[in-house]
Amino acid sequence: GAAGCVATLLHDAAMNPAEVVKQRMQMYNSPYQRVTDCVRAVWRNEGAGAFYRSYTTQLTMNIPFQAIHFMTYEFLQEQLNPHRQYNPGSHVVSGACAGAVAAAATTPLDVCKTLLNTQESLALSSISGHITGMANAFRTVYQVGGLTAYFRGVQARVIYQMPSTAIAWSVYEFFKYILTKRQEERRAGK
């Protein structure tokens, strides 16, 4: 658990600036043509802190995502593969469903993270200044779009996560099976 927390802290610290740049370049009518233009403009106009404005939201999203993801996978494996044998079909289905459930449950956090990263003009027009933290992002999302705004893009997020988590679990279970099988063969040969 501690290793997972530290890994998430470091991963998100390294990847948050890239996520900020990616989202700003993906915005409708983005003023940026190149990554370097975006990095320079954000640095110059908003400072280094802009690259980490959504860091706590990213952590707040990733920790529940991973918890829901792993619990759902384990629950589904218990239902579909109670003897925990290597079964690619159950790994794919369990992985895809686990990713879907985790993605849907954490979409409100992703919406707020995206707003923090992009500082979208429609949202900014409803407040004064920049959106500075998760609580401010949650209030702004609600002001701009009501409860349904927290789930904008949920279908796309689920569709993105399902194959990703299905592949990840399938590969993990495959290599676990191969390594366990080799270990057993070595022990039998001794």
Side-chain angles (χ1 to χ4, degrees):
C5 287
V6 171
T8 300
L9 287 168
L10 295 175
H11 171 271
D12 290 355
M15 295 308 298
N16 210 81
E19 183 74 7
V20 170
V21 172
K22 176 188 75 87
Q23 288 177 338
R24 288 186 183 218
M25 292 187 74
Q26 289 175 332
M27 287 172 38
Y28 179 72
N29 285 334
S30 174
Y32 310 111
Q33 297 300 313
R34 295 190 318 248
V35 169
T36 53
D37 295 338
C38 183
V39 170
R40 271 192 233 115
V42 171
W43 184 274
R44 182 178 55 249
N45 298 331
E46 299 174 56
F51 293 106
Y52 289 95
R53 192 177 285 129
S54 65
Y55 180 62
T56 55
T57 304
Q58 183 78 13
L59 290 174
T60 304
M61 180 180 67
N62 282 345
I63 291 168
F65 178 93
Q66 293 301 343
I68 294 166
H69 176 208
F70 277 82
M71 287 187 299
T72 304
Y73 181 80
E74 288 299 322
F75 172 78
L76 291 172
Q77 279 296 288
E78 196 60 40
Q79 303 306 305
L80 300 174
N81 189 9
H83 299 295
R84 299 300 177 119
Q85 296 176 339
Y86 178 65
N87 181 334
S90 76
H91 304 318
V92 168
V93 170
S94 297
C97 291
V101 169
T106 58
T107 294
L109 295 165
D110 193 40
V111 167
C112 292
K113 177 196 74 162
T114 300
L115 180 58
L116 282 165
N117 283 344
T118 61
Q119 299 291 308
E120 205 275 323
S121 59
L122 174 62
L124 290 178
S125 67
S126 68
I127 64 164
S128 59
H130 290 309
I131 299 163
T132 56
M134 191 166 56
N136 189 219
F138 268 97
R139 280 190 300 277
T140 304
V141 168
Y142 185 77
Q143 285 174 342
V144 171
L147 286 175
T148 58
Y150 292 115
F151 290 93
R152 291 199 65 178
V154 68
Q155 291 171 330
R157 187 164 153 74
V158 166
I159 290 167
Y160 172 82
Q161 286 296 334
M162 286 180 75
S164 173
T165 52
I167 291 166
W169 279 111
S170 298
V171 170
Y172 168 78
E173 294 287 357
F174 172 75
F175 279 102
K176 186 171 96 174
Y177 170 73
I178 294 297
L179 293 172
T180 303
K181 187 176 176 181
R182 283 188 183 161
Q183 235 178 10
E184 289 170 358
E185 288 170 358
R186 284 185 192 140
R187 285 184 189 141
K190 287 184 178 180

